Amino acid sequence: MKNWKFYNAVFIRLLFVMLPFFFAVFLVYKNFRFNAVLVGFFAFLMLFEMYFFVKNQLLFYDKTLLSILQSDFSTNFPEEYKKANFKNLHLLYNKLKVQQQEQTSKELIYQSILNNIDTATLILEKENKDWNIFLMNDCFSTLFKVPKVSHWKYLKNYLPSLCNEIEDRGFTELKSAISIKIEEQDLQTFVLQTSHTKTYNKEYFIILLDSIQRVIEKKEKEAWINLMKIISHELMNSLTPIRALSQNLLHIVDQEQLEEDDFEDIKSSISTIINRSDHLQVFVENYRKLAMLPTPNKQMTPINLLLQDCMRIMSPVLKAENIELINEIDSSRSILIDKNQMEQVIINLITNSIYALKEKPEKKIFLSGYTENNRFFITISDNGRGIDAEIRDKVFLPFFTTRKDGAGIGLTLSKNIIEAHGGYLSYQTYEDKTSFVICLI
């Protein structure tokens, strides 16, 4: 960056130093010593003035650059310097000042967004080998009754269980449930999710905590919304044609004279209304099955006996569909269940496997089981076409089905029965295999 005004000022001052110096030498040569001393003194004053001029210029440069490096833009740039020797420096200073103000504004917006979300959020920043708290949102501070401390070691005094869990995992990414005691209250369970990110030479660790109860409520709300959509869809599919046909019938009977074709229309309309009414009745009955599931009548039942009865019931269907059922369960254990309800679950799952194997040349269903932590697991697998990714979150949704003749309550009913027994029903799907897992106590 060239600054000709500065160079000119230094050059002029240098001339005012050099000319008196050479003139003083000339006077000494002519034996005008007293005059030479006066001229030399003037040259020294000019040299002294040039020194402080250059020093002040460089000092201002140094202070301004140091201010920029420290991101301190609180000092106003002197007006006389904005158009003089420091014009370009002023432009740089002002540009960086505006950028810092914009960055500060963005940070305030991001912080405001984080403070308004109802998920407890904590962001750590790594300095050397230690983690410090970069940001703690209001939800985290309020939920855990923690002041907005700046150091990880201080946070450990308030939430040792959380901090120890994260430290034990080595600040790695994880997603799990964790129990945290808040002050003198009972232990509360939260969903813990962490992530790790790097930007430039900075390293950040993000911690998100959600109340299990809030997650459950959110899932329940989503389930109810989806259920209402399905129920509304089913009702409208029947009520819309019933209403249209009823209006058509009213129009026909209002005629003074009925033709033979009118009677055919009446019969056809009434037949359709009956069919749609039957469909609605079946739909309501299926809903009642889900909503009014009886309490399981539990008795100790041998596992082998349960499976043998299920296989005997399904044997004709399996044979007709040319499906090989391989039972790998051979357990003498008995479990406390409602045998009739559990048979219904296993039959539902085998029926679903039969449907999944429709287009397969080689059809196989596998039954397997194992015991873990005093729980018995039954796995029903098939080599069918699997569950498409876009419907995996809907398989347990009431009345959702991909089958033309399906009611969409089999999996929902099975899940409700297993949960009524204190267990759970889950599934795993791959390209060439789908497994439903029943967990029983």
Side-chain angles (χ1 to χ4, degrees):
M1 180 177 64
K2 294 184 178 180
N3 194 330
W4 295 111
K5 290 184 179 180
F6 174 72
Y7 295 153
N8 290 339
V10 173
F11 179 72
I12 291 171
R13 282 171 170 77
L14 188 60
L15 285 178
F16 273 98
V17 172
M18 297 301 295
L19 289 176
F21 175 76
F22 286 120
F23 187 57
V25 172
F26 175 76
L27 290 176
V28 170
Y29 180 74
K30 293 294 184 177
N31 288 323
F32 295 108
R33 298 182 183 278
F34 181 74
N35 291 334
V37 171
L38 290 176
V39 173
F41 181 72
F42 177 76
F44 176 77
L45 290 177
M46 292 304 300
L47 179 64
F48 192 72
E49 190 275 339
M50 185 180 73
Y51 167 76
F52 278 100
F53 171 77
V54 174
K55 180 182 178 182
N56 287 335
Q57 296 282 312
L58 295 178
L59 184 63
F60 184 77
Y61 264 107
D62 187 58
K63 285 183 176 179
T64 305
L65 291 175
L66 185 63
S67 176
I68 291 172
L69 290 172
Q70 295 177 345
S71 298
D72 179 12
F73 299 95
S74 58
T75 305
N76 291 324
F77 213 93
E79 286 292 332
E80 62 270 21
Y81 288 164
K82 293 181 180 180
K83 296 181 180 180
N85 297 332
F86 303 97
K87 179 181 178 181
N88 291 335
L89 183 63
H90 166 254
L91 292 175
L92 173 64
Y93 180 88
N94 198 51
K95 182 177 180 180
L96 293 175
K97 182 178 181 179
V98 171
Q99 287 181 349
Q100 190 208 42
Q101 290 172 343
E102 290 176 349
Q103 182 64 28
T104 302
S105 299
K106 290 178 181 178
E107 289 176 358
L108 289 173
I109 292 171
Y110 299 150
Q111 189 168 350
S112 177
I113 293 171
L114 286 172
N115 282 332
N116 280 283
I117 64 175
D118 54 359
T119 298
T121 305
L122 184 69
I123 303 176
L124 307 179
E125 182 181 30
K126 195 169 189 178
E127 294 183 6
N128 298 323
K129 294 183 178 181
D130 297 324
W131 289 97
N132 289 324
I133 296 175
F134 176 75
L135 187 144
M136 179 192 295
N137 74 342
D138 291 343
C139 178
F140 189 100
S141 179
T142 304
L143 181 62
F144 297 108
K145 298 179 173 56
V146 175
K148 293 193 174 182
V149 294
S150 57
H151 294 286
W152 178 254
K153 61 181 181 180
Y154 296 149
L155 183 65
K156 287 181 70 174
N157 296 330
Y158 294 96
L159 297 172
S161 54
L162 171 64
C163 296
N164 290 335
E165 176 74 13
I166 292 172
E167 286 181 350
D168 292 343
R169 301 289 187 96
F171 290 89
T172 56
E173 294 189 1
L174 60 99
K175 184 174 183 180
S176 64
I178 182 173
S179 296
I180 300 175
K181 188 172 184 178
I182 303 173
E183 292 186 342
E184 300 301 321
Q185 301 176 18
D186 295 333
L187 283 172
Q188 297 182 38
T189 304
F190 296 86
V191 175
L192 169 65
Q193 186 170 356
T194 66
S195 60
H196 194 273
T197 184
K198 287 184 178 180
T199 171
Y200 299 110
N201 60 338
K202 292 290 186 180
E203 195 172 345
Y204 297 95
F205 190 73
I206 302 168
I207 302 169
L208 303 176
L209 286 157
D210 252 334
S211 167
I212 283 286
Q213 184 60 36
R214 198 176 76 86
V215 173
I216 292 172
E217 288 173 356
K218 182 180 178 182
K219 293 290 184 183
E220 287 179 347
K221 184 178 179 181
E222 291 174 353
W224 273 109
I225 290 173
N226 288 327
L227 179 59
M228 290 302 105
K229 287 180 180 177
I230 292 171
I231 291 176
S232 299
H233 176 75
E234 289 292 331
L235 291 176
M236 292 306 296
N237 278 350
S238 294
L239 292 178
T240 301
I242 287 175
R243 186 173 187 275
L245 291 170
S246 299
Q247 288 177 332
N248 184 52
L249 287 172
L250 184 62
H251 175 71
I252 293 173
V253 298
D254 280 345
Q255 296 179 122
E256 293 182 0
Q257 187 176 356
L258 297 179
E259 303 289 337
E260 187 176 343
D261 289 344
D262 292 331
F263 287 104
E264 290 297 324
D265 287 343
I266 291 172
K267 288 172 64 178
S268 175
S269 297
I270 292 174
S271 177
T272 304
I273 289 173
I274 292 172
N275 286 336
R276 296 315 304 173
S277 299
D278 289 341
H279 176 80
L280 272 180
Q281 186 175 1
V282 171
F283 179 79
V284 172
E285 286 297 325
N286 285 332
Y287 182 78
R288 287 180 62 193
K289 287 181 183 178
L290 292 175
M292 303 177 66
L293 181 68
T295 303
N297 181 19
K298 298 181 182 181
Q299 294 180 356
M300 293 302 295
T301 305
I303 293 172
N304 283 338
L305 176 62
L306 169 68
L307 296 176
Q308 286 169 9
D309 288 346
C310 292
M311 292 172 67
R312 186 173 60 255
I313 294 169
M314 297 302 297
S315 181
V317 182
L318 293 169
K319 188 175 182 180
E321 295 291 336
N322 196 27
I323 296 174
E324 181 184 3
L325 192 149
I326 303 168
N327 182 14
E328 300 174 347
I329 300 176
D330 185 13
S331 174
S332 59
R333 177 172 175 172
S334 294
I335 49 178
L336 188 63
I337 58 171
D338 184 318
K339 185 173 179 292
N340 291 332
Q341 288 188 2
M342 201 55 60
E343 280 181 2
Q344 186 176 1
V345 171
I346 295 173
I347 290 170
N348 282 343
L349 296 178
I350 293 176
T351 302
N352 282 349
S353 290
I354 292 171
Y355 175 77
L357 292 168
K358 284 285 185 185
E359 299 173 2
K360 285 285 182 176
E362 185 180 4
K363 305 176 182 181
K364 291 184 179 181
I365 298 175
F366 303 87
L367 295 181
S368 59
Y370 62 94
T371 302
E372 186 177 288
N373 297 328
N374 292 325
R375 290 173 176 255
F376 189 75
F377 294 82
I378 300 173
T379 303
I380 300 175
S381 309
D382 62 69
N383 62 332
R385 55 188 178 85
I387 301 172
D388 295 335
E390 59 268 19
I391 65 169
R392 287 176 188 171
D393 59 341
K394 300 177 181 178
V395 293
F396 292 119
L397 196 65
F399 310 113
F400 175 81
T401 182
T402 57
R403 295 160 57 179
K404 293 180 180 179
D405 58 343
I409 68 166
L411 283 176
T412 309
L413 187 61
S414 299
K415 185 173 183 290
N416 289 351
I417 289 172
I418 298 298
E419 289 176 353
H421 280 73
Y424 63 83
L425 177 64
S426 62
Y427 72 91
Q428 298 170 341
T429 185
Y430 309 96
E431 290 184 1
D432 58 347
K433 186 179 179 182
T434 301
S435 299
F436 277 86
V437 181
I438 300 170
C439 172
L440 297 169
I441 298 176

